[in-house]
Each structure stands twice: as structure tokens, then as C-alpha cells.
Amino acid sequence: MSEQKVALVTGALGGIGSEICRQLVTAGYKIIATVVPREEDREKQWLKDEGFTESDVRFVLTNLNEHEAATAAIQEAIDAEGRVDVLVNNAGITRDATFKKMSYTQWSEVIETNLKTLFTVTQPVFNKMLEQKSGRIVNISSVNGLKGQFGQANYSATKAGIIGFSKALAQEGARSNICVNVVAPGYTATPMVTAMREEVIKSIEAQIPLQRLAAPTEIAAAVMYLVSDHAAYVTGETLSINGGLYMH
Ligand SMILES: NC(=O)c1ccc[n+]([C@@H]2O[C@H](COP(=O)([O-])OP(=O)(O)OC[C@H]3O[C@@H](n4cnc5c(N)ncnc54)[C@H](O)[C@@H]3O)[C@@H](O)[C@H]2O)c1
């Protein structure tokens, strides 16, 4: 078994995922990065842009919505590395619409990607962590899973579901020294948000007590705290990084 710690990050090429990988590599982790096959051609460019070497990252090319293929691909990567110390469930999508107009497809796509894939990714990792008797799992929720959001009934349902899932898993993992926590970002400057019209972003910023979007580095820093030795007694917790937008 390798001495180097291993972290599996889903949605690794995204705005927040990339920053989480950057901070984990800086802290000495080897990354298992899940990447949807359509992103395949971006892998090499991403490694170059991030200044990572091929030995920093093992890519797992899989659509997490394809349960059997994704579980098999993740299991293969864990077996190849021989260990997994950290899991960050970060992949997520939005399909916004008011509930009145929401299609069943918009509803199901968000449930599939944001919630159902937690089973697919977490079970093989959790089983390995049980065997190792150690591990840290950080699930990425959202401020809108805590407070709800107009036009996001689907997304808010999944992001609240992630919190319930994490609390249950924290109880199952505790005896094996596995801590499971949640980071709930507020509006963060990634393409998911910066693609919005400028006036929409300005109106969002005006509602945030700290008057600005979060930087991806600030979300990744919360993840790094939860996987650090400093957080060894923290489990089942939700850490909000939202500039004061919602205080719970
Ligand atoms: N940006 C924000 O303001 C914000 C706020 C709160 C929470 N979040 C959450 O943070 C996480 C990351 O968001 P982001 O802003 O970096 O988004 P992003 O769109 O930049 O990244 C999301 C990643 O998930 C991957 N993904 C989507 N569907 C997938 C699937 N079926 N299989 C595998 N991978 C898949 C995408 O390919 C992408 O790499 C998400 O869970 C999001 O809900 C973001």
C-alpha cells in the first residue's frame, strides 16, 4: 500500500472541484478525479493549467449517473491505489425552474446527479474506509439546501438530502474512525454563477451581508479543514461558507 494519502474528488474539473484538487495536491495527496467522458479531451489541458503531473492524478472517466459502470470504475481505481483516505462528493448540477413549470426531466436529472450518485460513489469508498478503520468524507451541499430557493425545488431537495445522508453515514462510520461532514457553500464565483447576467449577480451580492461572492479557494479551505487532523472530533456537521447569507 502506498504511503501517499489518496483523495477521491467527483466533478474534479469544475470550478470548486479544481480548487479542492489544487489544495489537496499541495497538501501531498494523490487525487482520484472523476471526470465525465465528454470532458476527456480537457484532462491533459487541465493537468497543464493546474501544474499537476501525471502522478498527481488518476482520472476515472465515468458518468456517475451510470451506476454499475461508475461503481466498477471507482472500485478499480481504489484497488489500483490500494487505499482511499478522503472522499469529496462535489459533482452537482442545476436545472432551475419554478415548480409550476418544472418538467419531470428537470426534477429527475437533478435528483439523479446530486443525490443518487452519492450511493454509487460513496459505497465502494466507505467500505474501503471501514476496512482501513479511518477516513474523511466531505459532501458538498449548498446554502439553498438549508434555506430553500425560489426556482430550485429540485436542487434544494437534493442539497438538503445530502445533509441527512451525511448525518446517517457519520453515525455508521464513527466506530471505524470515519468522519462525515458537509460543506454548504453560498454563491461562489465559478462558471455556475459567473454565467449569470451581471445585474443578477449584483442583486445576489446585495443580499449577502459580506457583499460579495465566495472565492472557490474559500470553499476548498473549508474542505481542507474537515480533512485535517484539526477536525478529528468533527462529524455529522454542516459548515456554511456563505458570507452570512443564511445563518442556521
Ligand atoms: N458555484 C456555486 O455558487 C455553488 C454554490 C453552492 C453549492 N455549489 C455546489 O458545489 C459543487 C461544485 O459546483 P461548481 O460551481 O464547481 O460547478 P461546476 O459546474 O463548475 O462543476 C460541477 C462538476 O460536476 C460534474 N458533473 C456533473 N454531472 C456529473 C455526472 N453525472 N457525473 C460525473 N460528474 C458530473 C461536472 O462535469 C463538473 O465538473 C456542486 O455540487 C454545486 O451544487 C456550488
Side-chain angles (χ1 to χ4, degrees):
M1 187 168 87
S2 147
E3 287 294 303
Q4 191 181 16
K5 285 194 171 184
V6 174
L8 194 154
V9 181
T10 68
L13 268 56
I16 291 175
S18 288
E19 186 55 40
I20 292 170
C21 291
R22 211 171 285 148
Q23 295 194 18
L24 284 165
V25 168
T26 303
Y29 284 85
K30 163 98 185 249
I31 307 293
I32 299 174
T34 81
V35 175
V36 281
R38 66 185 142 77
E39 290 174 316
E40 190 172 1
D41 50 345
R42 286 176 52 203
E43 277 169 55
K44 282 215 160 60
Q45 189 58 44
W46 184 73
L47 285 180
K48 211 169 142 209
D49 292 347
E50 297 296 332
F52 297 154
T53 66
E54 304 251 342
S55 62
D56 290 327
V57 183
R58 169 188 295 276
F59 288 105
V60 176
L61 291 173
T62 187
N63 179 343
L64 298 175
N65 292 342
E66 290 164 12
H67 170 69
E68 274 170 31
T71 307
I74 287 167
Q75 190 64 57
E76 195 185 319
I78 295 170
D79 292 345
E81 292 301 331
R83 65 188 286 168
V84 59
D85 302 279
V86 164
L87 166 62
V88 186
N89 277 310
N90 163 75
I93 58 166
T94 52
R95 296 284 183 270
D96 296 354
T98 56
F99 191 63
K100 187 179 169 188
K101 294 194 175 153
M102 188 175 285
S103 66
Y104 186 68
T105 305
Q106 286 172 314
W107 171 260
S108 330
E109 279 181 1
V110 173
I111 306 278
E112 281 283 339
T113 301
N114 295 7
L115 204 51
K116 287 178 78 173
T117 65
L118 286 184
F119 182 91
T120 304
V121 178
T122 309
Q123 197 175 57
V125 174
F126 189 69
N127 288 346
K128 183 69 182 176
M129 288 176 172
L130 286 174
E131 199 185 296
Q132 292 170 182
K133 297 204 180 321
S134 73
R136 299 291 175 89
I137 299 177
V138 181
N139 298 318
I140 307 297
S141 173
S142 165
V143 65
N144 292 342
L146 291 162
K147 72 169 189 60
Q149 177 58 34
F150 187 98
Q152 287 198 322
N154 49 2
Y155 184 79
S156 299
T158 61
K159 293 299 182 176
I162 287 171
I163 295 173
F165 168 72
S166 304
K167 288 179 177 176
L169 204 64
Q171 292 177 39
E172 292 194 23
R175 279 185 205 171
S176 302
N177 194 28
I178 302 166
C179 294
V180 185
N181 292 289
V182 175
V183 169
Y187 289 89
T188 308
T190 72
M192 201 185 245
V193 169
T194 52
M196 293 176 185
R197 290 198 317 274
E198 205 182 320
E199 57 273 26
V200 177
I201 296 176
K202 283 215 156 56
S203 80
I204 290 172
E205 286 174 335
Q207 293 165 41
I208 301 169
L210 285 173
Q211 299 279 296
R212 64 171 177 85
L213 302 178
T217 49
E218 292 169 313
I219 308 305
V223 173
M224 294 311 292
Y225 163 67
L226 289 169
V227 306
S228 76
D229 291 344
H230 300 295
Y233 202 55
V234 182
T235 197
E237 189 53 74
T238 296
L239 183 49
S240 279
I241 310 292
N242 65 28
L245 180 59
Y246 183 71
M247 303 179 190
H248 58 103

